Amino acid sequence: MTTLARRTTLALVLSVAGLAALAGCASADPVVAPVVRDVGELQGETVELQVGQVLDIDTGDLAVDSYRGLVEDPAVASFTPGRETGGTIYNPGVEGIAEGTTTVVLSNDDGGIEDVTFTVEVSD
């Protein structure tokens, strides 16, 4: 085998090995993008989520930590309050836990703000 043939073979083997290594790094679970909604657009709406998907609630001008959430069926979805940590702002959200339908009620600590009630439908 000539030197050129050996180098070509080595390059081919290294390329295949590199691709195999990259394939091993790929996640088996697909990444599901969050659903983003403005809190003012949620009243009476139905939000469809997949199991593991999150509804990211944009609170607009109101503080992200001013909202509280009550999920009627916590086996279907869970509420995560908003917060600010180390200069990073995290919006409140609802995560789909299991297939089903539940009602979510958001209330706000700031007086005079009406509760926001909406439905979350979670599919597998």
Side-chain angles (χ1 to χ4, degrees), residues 43-123:
Q43 187 71 281
E45 294 295 314
T46 297
V47 178
E48 295 178 0
L49 298 175
Q50 296 176 4
V51 172
Q53 190 173 29
V54 173
L55 166 63
D56 181 324
I57 303 169
D58 183 348
T59 62
D61 293 337
L62 298 175
V64 294
D65 61 354
S66 64
Y67 280 92
R68 301 290 174 252
L70 177 63
V71 178
E72 183 178 62
D73 187 349
V76 173
S78 66
F79 175 79
T80 302
R83 67 189 188 287
E84 186 172 346
T85 304
T88 302
I89 297 172
Y90 299 92
N91 288 336
V94 176
E95 180 179 3
I97 303 296
E99 192 169 354
T101 301
T102 189
T103 300
V104 177
V105 179
L106 298 179
S107 57
N108 193 296
D109 291 343
D110 295 337
I113 296 177
E114 177 180 321
D115 286 353
V116 176
T117 303
F118 61 98
T119 302
V120 172
E121 289 182 357
V122 180
S123 62

